[in-house]
Amino acid sequence: FYAVGLPALRDAPEQGLELNVVLGQVRGLLRQLEAGDLDAVIAAQQVPRNNVIYLPIVEEQFVLLGASNLEMPLGLSIDQIIGWFESQPWLTYAPDLPIIRRYWQSVFRRRPMIGAPMILPDLLMIARAVELGMGLSVLPEYLSAEQIHEGSLQVLWEPDYHPRNRVLLAVNRPHADRSEIRWLHTRLAAS
């Protein structure tokens, strides 16, 4: 939301819209949406719900990152590289390593054999911790593009295919055609 959503919504007050942003895990936010406490939820996963529809916003690409001063060993086999990655400290936002696990299974075709000595509740915090050399992580490319460009973060692995994820706008089916929801979806999808 910080990197993409917030800049897309800067015109909301001029449109006469009042925004009350609530952060949290997708399942909890969807429960609030179904209860009528929220009008829309930006979701990185589609959780089946009877009265909720999902509108596509953007597709995010994931990259495996380390600090700029981290030196990867050269001349290793793929199994040795995976072993080296697994020997490093990892940073994540949840104990079950959702983004890391998905990346790992997609790129290396196996489950990661890693733990996360530090769990941080925000992807921007994780990016900063990686930048500080506290460990490795997998993050959306758009979230770390500036640090990669500036050289404070580096992409450690260039797979043939970078795993992707669709970010969606979840709304209650009866409210999907409201003008505010259409405006919100249009702005977020254009970002």
Side-chain angles (χ1 to χ4, degrees):
F1 182 80
Y2 175 82
V4 178
L6 191 57
L9 302 177
R10 67 180 162 266
D11 296 344
E14 295 167 16
Q15 300 295 319
L17 299 176
E18 295 178 9
L19 297 176
N20 180 11
V21 176
V22 177
L23 301 177
Q25 296 293 320
V26 171
R27 291 183 188 277
L29 294 173
L30 289 174
R31 281 192 292 277
Q32 292 179 56
L33 176 69
E34 287 180 305
D37 297 331
L38 299 175
D39 293 320
V41 171
I42 298 173
Q45 60 182 329
Q46 189 167 336
V47 180
R49 299 279 198 224
N50 288 335
N51 219 19
V52 175
I53 62 170
Y54 293 88
L55 307 170
I57 298 174
V58 70
E59 188 172 89
E60 56 188 1
Q61 175 177 294
F62 295 104
V63 291
L64 194 160
L65 298 169
S68 61
N69 62 352
L70 181 66
E71 293 186 30
M72 274 189 54
L74 301 174
L76 300 179
S77 70
I78 185 68
D79 286 334
Q80 291 171 319
I81 290 170
I82 292 170
W84 183 82
F85 282 143
E86 289 177 335
S87 72
Q88 302 302 304
W90 284 81
L91 308 165
T92 184
Y93 72 89
D96 62 342
L97 314 168
I99 296 173
I100 296 167
R101 187 182 66 247
R102 182 169 178 211
Y103 178 95
W104 210 273
Q105 289 174 326
S106 182
V107 171
F108 299 123
R109 306 280 187 241
R110 59 175 93 170
R111 292 184 66 82
M113 303 300 290
I114 61 175
M118 186 174 293
I119 298 171
L120 299 166
D122 179 81
L123 297 182
L124 292 171
M125 282 185 209
I126 293 170
R128 181 67 177 135
V130 172
E131 195 176 7
L132 292 170
M134 297 169 73
L136 310 182
S137 197
V138 175
L139 294 171
E141 184 179 42
Y142 65 82
L143 196 68
S144 49
E146 188 175 319
Q147 294 99 319
I148 293 168
H149 179 73
E150 291 172 352
S152 60
L153 286 177
Q154 64 174 314
V155 176
L156 296 176
W157 189 252
E158 287 290 351
D160 294 332
Y161 168 79
H162 285 275
R164 298 175 182 277
N165 184 52
R166 285 182 30 191
V167 178
L168 308 155
L169 184 67
V171 297
N172 276 323
R173 188 176 307 276
H175 304 293
D177 205 32
R178 287 181 23 210
S179 61
E180 301 92 344
I181 298 296
R182 285 196 318 267
W183 182 89
L184 181 63
H185 179 245
T186 300
R187 291 308 302 247
L188 292 171
S191 58

